[in-house]
Amino acid sequence: MSHTTDENFAAELRKEGIDDSMVLGHPSGLFVLFFTEMWERFSFYGMRVLLVLFLTAAITGGNPGLGWSAENAGALYSTYAMLLYITPIFGGIIADRFIGYRWAVVIGSIVMTLGHVAMFFDGTIPLYSGLGLLVIGTGFFKPNMTSILSEMYKKFPQKKDGAYTIFYMGVNAGAFFGMMLCGYLASNLGWHYGFGLAAVFMGLGTLQFWLAKPLFGTIGEVPNKDFAVVSTTNDEKAENDKRNPFSTIDYILIGITTIIGLLFAFDAPLYVIGKIDLLPSVDLSFLGLDTLRGMYVLTIAGLLLFIGLIISRLVRYDKIVRDRMIAVIIFAFFTIFFWMSFEQAASSLVIFARDSVDRSLAGTSLTIFNTFNSLLTVVPLILISYVLYLLAKGTWKKAPSTNIVLAITFAFVWIVAAWMLYNEFTKEASEIEPSWFSILNSFFIITFASSISKIWDSKFNPPAAVKYGLGLIIMAVGFGFLAYGAHGIADGVKVSMLWLILAYLFHTLGELCLSPVGLSYVSKLVPARMIAFMFGMWYLAIAIGNKLAALLGGQIENITEAYSLSTFFLIFTIVPTVAGVLVILLHPVLKKLMHGVK
C-alpha cells in the first residue's frame, strides 16, 4: 500500500468523522473492535469449555458439579448451541431497521455479561437463566460487530481482507486465553470462578467499546429515513428490476417453520432431562411400524415445508440465478456434516480428555510442558500488549478512558496468567487440565492460517467443492487418530495425549480448508434480494450441525458402554469422509451450477 493511498484512506476516514490515527496501517477503530471481539470470545469460549465438564462433574468431591450424565449435558448444550446461530438472524434485522449496529453490540454485550454473572451462582435456575441471556446477547452482538467493520471499510475494499485477518486474530486470541484461564481457575478454585472470570472480561470489554465512541464517527448509529442508498451498477439495477418479493404464503411458511424449528431446539432438554414430551406419539401400525414421537413427525413435516418454501422461491428465478442458489444449498447441506463432527470439541472431546486421556506429567516431561505452556501464554500476551500500547499512543487524547479500561483489563490478564504459570512451575507432578487441549484449535489456526491462505492464493488453489471435500476428509482423519488410539484399550486404561493433539491439528486444518469458503460463496452466488434469506439458511445449517454435534456427543458414554470408545470416534471418521468424497465427486455438477463464479 503506497503512502499516498494511506493518506487517501485517512482523508476518507476524516470525512466520515472516524478517527484517522493509524495502528499497523489500519484505523484505530479496527483495534477497538479487535479487543471487543477478543473479550467476547474470551468469555464465550471460556464458558463453553467448562459447561459440559461442570454439568457432568461428580456432585461430591473437591470441585463438585451437577453430576449429570453425558446424555443430559449434551441435550442441554444442543439447544444452547443451536440457538446461538438462530438468534443472530433476528439481531441483525433489529439492528438494520431500528437500533443501529453500535447499540446492538452494547445491548448484546450487557446481556451476555449478565448471563455470565448468573452462571457464577449455584443452582439450575441461574444456569438456565445465564444460558438464556447468553443466547439473547449473542443474537445482538454476533452479526453486528462484522457489520461495523464492513461499514468502516466500505470505500476501501482493498484493505478489507487485511482488516478481517486482524479481526479474526482477535477472535482466536480471545478463544485461546478464555479456554486457558477460565479452565484453569475452574479447576483450581472452583467452577463458578471460571464462569465469573468470563463475566469480568465480558463486562470490561463492553465498557471499553462504549467509551471508544469518539473513534467511530457515525458508523453504526441508529438508522434513519434519510439513510443514504449506495449507488448500484447497471447489472445490479437489472437484478433489482426483477425483484422476487416474498408472498403472503412465503411469510406464512417462514413463520410455521420457524416455530417448528424452535420447538425442535427445545425438545431435547425437555424430553431427555425433564421427561416432558411436547406432543403425543403417532401410531404408525398401519405402515407396519411402531409408534413415533410426535416431535419427530412435526420436525419431518417442518423440514418438508421448508424444502417446499425453498423450491417455491427457486422456480421464480431465471435459470442462472436458480442454479447458483441450488449450489449454495448443496454446500449448506454438507456444512451440517462438518459442524456435526467438528463441534465435538465442546462436548465429547472434553469428556474424553477428562476421563480417558493420560494427562499426568512429572519430572522432565512436566518441565518441558511448563516451558512450552509459558511461551504459549507469554509471547501472545506481549504481542497483544504491544498493540494495546500502539492504540493508546494514537488515541489517548481523543478517547483516554477506553485506553485506561483496556490497560486495567490486560493488567488483570497478566496477573491471572502469572499466577497460573507460577503454580504449575512449583509442582513436582501435575495433570494437564482437560480444558487445556481445547486451546490447540486456536493455536493451530494462528500457526497455519497464513500458510493455508498462501496455498489458496497460488496456482494450487482448488475449486470450492474440492476445498469442501478436503476439509471434511482432513477433519475426519483427526477422528481416525482417536479411533486408532482408543482401539482395544481395556477398562481403566487411558489413551496417550498424542492422539488428542493430532486430532485437534487435523480438525483445525480441515476447518481452514472449509470454513472460509462457505459464506464467501453465499455472497458471490446469491442475488441481492435473497442474500439475507440465504445467509439465514446458511446459519440454520450450522445451527443444525451444532445441535446434532451436542446430541451425538452426549451419547459417548452410551455408545462406549454398548460397543467401544473406538466405535464412537469411528462414526465421526466414516460419516465426514463419505460426505467429503461425495462433495468432491459433485464438483462437475457444482461447477456447472455456478455458471462461471469462482
Side-chain angles (χ1 to χ4, degrees):
M1 186 67 65
S2 69
H3 179 65
T4 302
T5 305
D6 278 341
E7 288 180 348
N8 292 341
F9 189 27
E12 288 291 339
L13 293 172
R14 285 193 296 273
K15 286 181 185 177
E16 299 290 329
I18 304 169
D19 182 62
D20 62 351
S21 57
M22 294 292 190
V23 178
L24 301 177
H26 287 271
S28 56
L30 170 64
F31 292 89
V32 172
L33 299 179
F34 170 96
F35 286 118
T36 306
E37 184 72 13
M38 177 179 168
W39 299 129
E40 189 275 332
R41 293 290 90 182
F42 181 106
S43 304
F44 172 79
Y45 281 101
M47 186 285 294
R48 191 190 80 154
V49 78
L50 300 180
L51 182 58
V52 170
L53 290 173
F54 166 66
L55 294 174
T56 57
I59 57 176
T60 58
N63 191 16
L66 294 187
W68 289 13
S69 67
E71 183 178 9
N72 284 10
L76 178 62
Y77 184 75
S78 72
T79 294
Y80 171 67
M82 184 174 186
L83 293 176
L84 284 174
Y85 285 92
I86 292 177
T87 53
I89 299 170
F90 301 101
I93 294 170
I94 291 170
D96 278 335
R97 297 188 179 182
F98 303 109
I99 62 175
Y101 305 138
R102 263 194 274 170
W103 268 111
V105 168
V106 171
I107 291 170
S109 298
I110 293 171
V111 173
M112 284 189 286
T113 301
L114 294 174
H116 287 299
V117 168
M119 295 185 70
F120 177 77
F121 298 98
D122 287 314
T124 52
I125 292 177
L127 171 69
Y128 295 144
S129 301
L131 292 177
L133 289 168
L134 288 171
V135 165
I136 295 168
T138 299
F140 281 101
F141 185 96
K142 190 178 181 70
N144 295 305
M145 282 294 290
T146 49
S147 296
I148 294 173
L149 181 58
S150 180
E151 192 175 337
M152 185 183 295
Y153 283 84
K154 65 184 177 183
K155 294 185 178 178
F156 277 81
Q158 70 273 23
K159 298 205 71 168
K160 188 178 283 189
D161 285 349
Y164 273 99
T165 301
I166 292 169
F167 182 76
Y168 284 114
M169 284 297 179
V171 170
N172 286 290
F176 178 89
F177 285 112
M179 290 185 283
M180 175 186 281
L181 299 181
C182 291
Y184 192 82
L185 256 68
S187 180
N188 288 271
L189 296 180
W191 297 108
H192 297 291
Y193 285 91
F195 294 136
L197 190 67
V200 169
F201 285 111
M202 188 70 246
L204 290 171
T206 304
L207 185 58
Q208 70 91 26
F209 177 78
W210 177 253
L211 294 173
K213 286 192 297 180
L215 305 180
F216 290 98
T218 59
I219 284 181
E221 287 190 344
V222 180
N224 57 62
K225 295 179 181 179
D226 299 323
F227 187 76
V229 178
V230 179
S231 60
T232 59
T233 64
N234 289 334
D235 289 340
E236 289 170 330
K237 186 176 184 303
E239 178 63 44
N240 287 332
D241 286 342
K242 294 186 286 185
R243 282 164 67 94
N244 181 5
F246 284 85
S247 66
T248 303
I249 297 296
D250 290 337
Y251 284 119
I252 291 172
L253 289 176
I254 290 171
I256 292 172
T257 52
T258 298
I259 292 169
I260 293 173
L262 290 173
L263 289 173
F264 171 70
F266 285 101
D267 175 64
L270 289 173
Y271 184 69
V272 175
I273 302 169
K275 309 303 179 188
I276 299 170
D277 205 346
L278 293 172
L279 297 170
S281 296
V282 178
D283 184 4
L284 298 177
S285 57
F286 65 94
L287 295 175
L289 302 171
D290 293 329
T291 58
L292 188 65
R293 284 193 62 216
M295 180 53 68
Y296 296 157
V297 175
L298 182 65
T299 302
I300 293 169
L303 183 61
L304 293 174
L305 284 175
F306 188 73
I307 292 171
L309 170 64
I310 296 297
I311 293 173
S312 73
R313 296 290 303 165
L314 289 175
V315 296
R316 299 178 221 169
Y317 286 100
D318 61 43
K319 185 179 186 320
I320 292 177
V321 172
R322 182 168 62 247
D323 286 353
R324 287 174 174 171
M325 291 173 69
I326 291 171
V328 170
I329 292 168
I330 293 171
F331 282 127
F333 174 73
F334 284 100
T335 293
I336 294 173
F337 294 100
F338 180 84
W339 295 111
M340 177 190 79
S341 305
F342 183 85
E343 283 299 325
Q344 293 305 308
S347 53
S348 65
L349 289 187
V350 291
I351 294 174
F352 172 70
R354 181 190 64 191
D355 298 340
S356 305
V357 173
D358 182 5
R359 299 177 282 111
S360 57
L361 296 171
T364 304
S365 61
L366 178 58
T367 302
I368 292 171
F369 173 78
N370 282 337
T371 303
F372 173 72
N373 196 40
S374 298
L375 292 171
L376 207 58
T377 306
V378 172
V379 172
L381 271 179
I382 290 172
L383 293 174
I384 297 171
S385 297
Y386 176 66
V387 173
L388 176 63
Y389 162 74
L390 294 178
L391 178 64
K393 186 178 177 182
T395 62
W396 182 259
K397 290 183 178 179
K398 198 163 187 178
S401 51
T402 191
N403 289 293
I404 292 171
V405 171
L406 277 172
I408 293 170
T409 308
F410 267 91
F412 193 19
V413 173
W414 274 104
I415 290 169
V416 176
W419 172 74
M420 175 189 75
L421 296 175
Y422 173 78
N423 269 5
E424 292 305 301
F425 268 109
T426 55
K427 293 179 180 177
E428 293 183 3
S430 182
E431 277 194 335
I432 300 175
E433 306 298 341
S435 57
W436 183 88
F437 294 95
S438 300
I439 73 173
L440 292 172
N441 176 243
S442 296
F443 171 68
F444 288 139
I445 284 178
I446 293 168
T447 304
F448 293 108
S450 61
S451 299
I452 299 292
S453 178
K454 287 176 182 176
I455 294 173
W456 297 160
D457 288 337
S458 71
K459 63 181 180 180
F460 300 107
N461 184 23
V466 175
K467 286 180 184 173
Y468 245 70
L470 286 174
L472 282 157
I473 293 167
I474 291 169
M475 187 261 300
V477 169
F479 282 105
F481 282 119
L482 293 176
Y484 179 79
H487 180 67
I489 61 170
D491 287 341
V493 177
K494 296 199 172 185
V495 178
S496 168
M497 68 178 77
L498 174 65
W499 301 114
L500 187 55
I501 293 169
L502 284 171
Y504 274 111
L505 170 61
F506 279 83
H507 291 178
T508 304
L509 293 175
E511 181 187 10
L512 289 171
C513 289
L514 180 146
S515 189
V517 175
L519 290 177
S520 172
Y521 273 87
V522 174
S523 61
K524 290 178 182 178
L525 292 168
V526 175
R529 175 64 179 164
M530 285 291 285
I531 275 278
F533 181 75
M534 295 301 282
F535 266 127
M537 198 185 78
W538 189 269
Y539 280 114
L540 178 62
I542 297 175
I544 292 170
N546 275 263
K547 175 79 171 176
L548 295 175
L551 290 175
L552 290 170
Q555 295 299 315
I556 184 171
E557 293 174 350
N558 297 335
I559 293 173
T560 299
E561 185 178 340
Y563 302 98
S564 69
L565 187 57
S566 184
T567 301
F568 175 80
F569 290 124
L570 271 175
I571 294 170
F572 301 103
T573 305
I574 295 169
V575 173
T577 299
V578 172
V581 171
L582 282 175
V583 76
I584 290 174
L585 292 176
L586 284 172
H587 165 58
V589 176
L590 287 164
K591 183 179 179 181
K592 187 176 179 181
L593 288 171
M594 289 159 66
H595 291 279
V597 172
K598 296 181 180 179

